[in-house]
Every structure is written in structure tokens, then in C-alpha cells.
Amino acid sequence: MRNKKLQALLILLLVIVVAATGCGVDTGKKGGSVQDVESVPASLKDKGEINIKVIRKIGGDDHTAQFLAGAKQEGEALGFNVDTFSADGDTAKFLDAIDQAAEGDVDAVILSHGDDPATVEAAQKLRDKGIEVVAFDSTGDLSAVEGVTLTAQKDEALAQYALDQLVQEQGPDANIVYLWVDGFPPMVRRNAVYEEVLGNNPGIKEVERFGVANENTSVETQNAVAAMLSKYPKGELDAIFATWDAFAIGAARALIEAGRTEVKIYGIDVSNADLQVMQEKDSPWAATAAVDPKLIGAVTVRLAAKKLAGEETPATYDLDAALITQESLGKSDKAVNMQTLADIIPGWGTSDAFEEAWMKDLKAANGK
């Protein structure tokens, strides 16, 4: 009897300790939840726990990984649950993921690289169910869906920066290879600038072009560029304009393996892997224009958060681009990565766009 009383007393003490400290119990609540921070809009508090789904059509590249990481990091800093998914270029998987989100316990969906009418229909289904939608680098037809915000990099600026650098360094009579793929809204915008630059510089000659978008883009590009090099010996090819860093990585490998680093690459997008290649001795990768992909992910989440809070959001928003050159990287006395790129590119990776005071309070409450 005495042992039973002692056991009961110990259990009671354990319950009291657990109740007082919360130790050992997973309540499902995060520190700094939307309900705990006074400045958070009431309409957001009323929703309870916030679930966001990030669905990207393309994948298999570092830009995708960073974009998803940026979205997840920002959302969790706000106390939200963030689930990410990459369809690796598979349209059926992409649309199926959107359909699952529409049928699930999701408050907001961030779409990336939806490029067809089916994406518009899927987004409409989300909105019909009251789910907020932000879409990055997706078809402009989504503007017809009420409440959707379209975000993008300033693709025209990205292409202009890279091409201006190409013309400056290679001259107005360069022979170039064009690495580009049709069918994606950002690629269409970049191509428009390319056509304009060629029109303004009639001496520039496009001798070859290539482009595929799949999980093997870099490998297929490497093989294609290697084959081109055999057709254009030294002196007959000056530069490559790569409209995506997956193209540039493959091209760089081909040039390095062939010992043809006199051919220079001017690209778009950046990652740690890209920066490493650009900083290698005698690297052919001369410049790249980019927006920090982690920042893109973060800004899209802020927009989704504002929508959930019932705050006004724009129909479109473009993120500013920057040019990164070998010369600028060479000014650093140590290897530059995505985290230290801000040391040589002022403002890189930082933006207070759509970061409201209540978001800062939430981050502070979450220790972020």
C-alpha cells in the first residue's frame, strides 16, 4: 500500500513539473506563435496555426534548393509551418501537388514556375477554397485569378546586365553561343532583351544555340557545348550567353575539360557552386547577373503572410538584380560564397520588402 501511495505521489509531482515547464510534451505550438504576439493582425490570429505549402515545378538545381530554403526559413521564423516540394520538371507531379494542397489543411500556397493554362486552373481552385496564392516566375495568365500576386526577378535587367558586360568585354563583333530554352515566362523576357541587344549590335553573330530544361540540364548542356567546340576552333568563338546557371555550369565544365577557357561565359543566376567555378584559376565564367534566391523565397512568404493577415498586396512585384563579375570577386582576399557575397555586392541578400513591424515582432518572439 505504501509503495502505491509513493508511486502516486511521484506521478503527481511529475505531472506538476511537466505542466509548469512544458518539458516532455509536444503541444504542437511554437514559441512566438501568431496568437502570442500582440501586434499581429487579428485576422491572422483568428486562423490559428498557419500552414504554407511551397510548390516548385523545376528542380534539381542549386537555385531551387536555395529558393525553397529561403521560403522555409522565413516562414518558420514567423512561426508558420512550411512544407516544400519540387516536381523536378514533371508537370503532372506539379499539378498533383497543387491539387493535394487544395484538398489539405493549407492556408497559403506559393507556386514557382507554373507555365501553362493548367496552372491557372489549379490556382483558381486554390482561391475558390479561400487559400492565398503567391506565384514566382509563373505564367502571366495567373493575373486573371483574383487575389494572386505574381513575383519575378527583374528578368530584363538580368539579361541586360549580362549582355552589356559581354559586349563591353568581347566587343560588338563577337561570335557567340546562346543557351536558352523557350516556354518559361522568365526565359521569354530574357530572350526579348537578347533580341534587342543583337538588333543594336548587328556585328554580334550567334553561331549556335542549345537549351533543355530537365533534371539533367547541366550534363546535356556540357555535352552540347563540347560538341560545338569541335566545330569552332580557337579564334572562331568568343563567348557564351547562358540564360540560366544550370546552362552556365554545364558550359563551364565543357570549356575547362577542352582547355578552351578563352571562351567566356556570361550568365544569369548564382549559387555557391557557381561562385566556386567563377573563382577558379583561369575560369571561363566571366560574369553573372542574379537575385539572391533565398531572398526571393523569403519575400514570397512575406507576401503570403500579408494576404493571410488581410493586408493589401500588389498584383505584381519584381526583385532587383545585381551583376557579379570575376573582377569584383577577385577583390576579396578570401573565397566568396553566398553568405559573404554581400561584402562585395552592396545590399546583396537583404531587403525589407513587405516585412511589416508585426513580422519583426514575430521573428523576435521566435528568437530569429
Side-chain angles (χ1 to χ4, degrees):
M1 178 69 73
R2 184 177 179 182
N3 286 339
K4 289 184 177 179
K5 287 183 177 180
L6 181 59
Q7 287 177 347
L9 179 60
L10 289 173
I11 291 172
L12 178 61
L13 288 172
L14 179 60
V15 169
I16 292 172
V17 170
V18 169
T21 65
C23 297
V25 177
D26 183 5
T27 65
K29 294 182 179 179
K30 296 178 170 62
S33 70
V34 293
Q35 287 77 26
D36 300 330
V37 178
E38 185 177 353
S39 62
V40 172
S43 56
L44 185 60
K45 288 184 177 183
D46 291 344
K47 296 182 183 299
E49 196 168 55
I50 302 299
N51 299 308
I52 294 179
K53 180 77 175 184
V54 186
I55 306 171
R56 184 159 165 122
K57 186 171 183 177
I58 64 172
D61 62 304
D62 199 44
H63 192 279
T64 293
Q66 291 181 72
F67 169 81
L68 296 177
K72 190 173 185 65
Q73 180 178 313
E74 186 75 0
E76 292 182 348
L78 294 171
F80 302 163
N81 301 316
V82 182
D83 186 25
T84 64
F85 175 78
S86 170
D88 291 329
D90 189 315
T91 299
K93 289 182 179 179
F94 176 69
L95 295 172
D96 183 60
I98 301 174
D99 189 60
Q100 289 182 36
E103 301 301 328
D105 183 21
V106 175
D107 299 289
V109 172
I110 294 170
L111 303 176
S112 177
H113 292 80
D115 59 352
D116 56 15
T119 300
V120 180
E121 295 174 10
Q124 184 64 65
K125 182 177 180 180
L126 292 172
R127 294 296 298 126
D128 290 344
K129 290 179 173 288
I131 297 170
E132 301 294 349
V133 178
V134 180
F136 169 64
D137 265 1
S138 296
T139 173
D141 292 340
L142 281 166
S143 60
V145 181
E146 185 178 358
V148 173
T149 291
L150 288 166
T151 65
Q153 303 175 94
K154 288 188 176 177
D155 290 294
E156 292 84 0
L158 289 169
Q160 197 71 58
Y161 283 153
L163 287 165
D164 284 351
Q165 193 71 11
L166 186 158
V167 174
Q168 177 183 321
E169 294 185 358
Q170 302 300 324
D173 299 311
N175 290 336
I176 68 172
V177 167
Y178 184 35
L179 301 179
W180 172 79
V181 61
D182 200 358
F184 297 92
M187 290 294 179
V188 172
R189 293 190 289 268
R190 295 169 193 182
N191 183 65
V193 175
Y194 174 74
E195 296 292 348
E196 182 178 351
V197 169
L198 260 61
N200 294 333
N201 296 273
I204 294 180
K205 182 180 179 183
E206 178 191 307
V207 297
E208 296 272 358
R209 70 166 59 191
F210 174 80
V212 295
N214 57 37
E215 67 275 12
N216 296 314
T217 292
S218 293
V219 174
E220 292 192 34
T221 302
Q222 180 179 351
N223 293 337
V225 172
M228 293 175 195
L229 294 175
S230 64
K231 297 165 59 177
Y232 301 96
K234 287 188 177 183
E236 294 187 14
L237 181 61
D238 300 299
I240 295 173
F241 175 42
T243 53
W244 179 21
D245 64 339
F247 293 146
I249 281 286
R253 290 172 183 158
L255 293 172
I256 291 169
E257 287 187 6
R260 294 290 303 277
T261 56
E262 85 283 355
V263 178
K264 301 303 179 184
I265 298 170
Y266 299 84
I268 292 177
D269 293 333
V270 70
S271 69
N272 280 319
D274 301 345
L275 290 171
Q276 183 177 350
V277 173
M278 289 182 71
Q279 293 172 92
E280 290 176 0
K281 184 180 179 180
D282 299 324
S283 171
W285 199 336
T288 194
V291 178
D292 183 358
K294 287 191 72 174
L295 181 62
I296 300 170
V299 169
T300 57
V301 167
R302 293 175 198 167
L303 281 163
K306 282 178 66 66
K307 289 178 181 294
L308 291 168
E311 296 182 345
E312 185 176 351
T313 55
T316 62
Y317 181 73
D318 292 343
L319 291 96
D320 291 328
L323 181 68
I324 305 161
T325 65
Q326 279 186 338
E327 181 180 1
S328 62
L329 293 172
K331 293 178 180 178
S332 175
D333 57 2
K334 56 185 177 182
V336 178
N337 57 35
M338 294 293 288
Q339 286 67 46
T340 60
L341 193 55
D343 295 340
I344 61 171
I345 305 295
W348 176 262
T350 60
S351 172
D352 59 1
F354 309 111
E355 188 176 32
E356 305 300 334
W358 59 265
M359 295 184 193
K360 295 178 181 178
D361 291 343
L362 266 176
K363 290 179 181 180
N366 282 294
K368 303 295 184 181

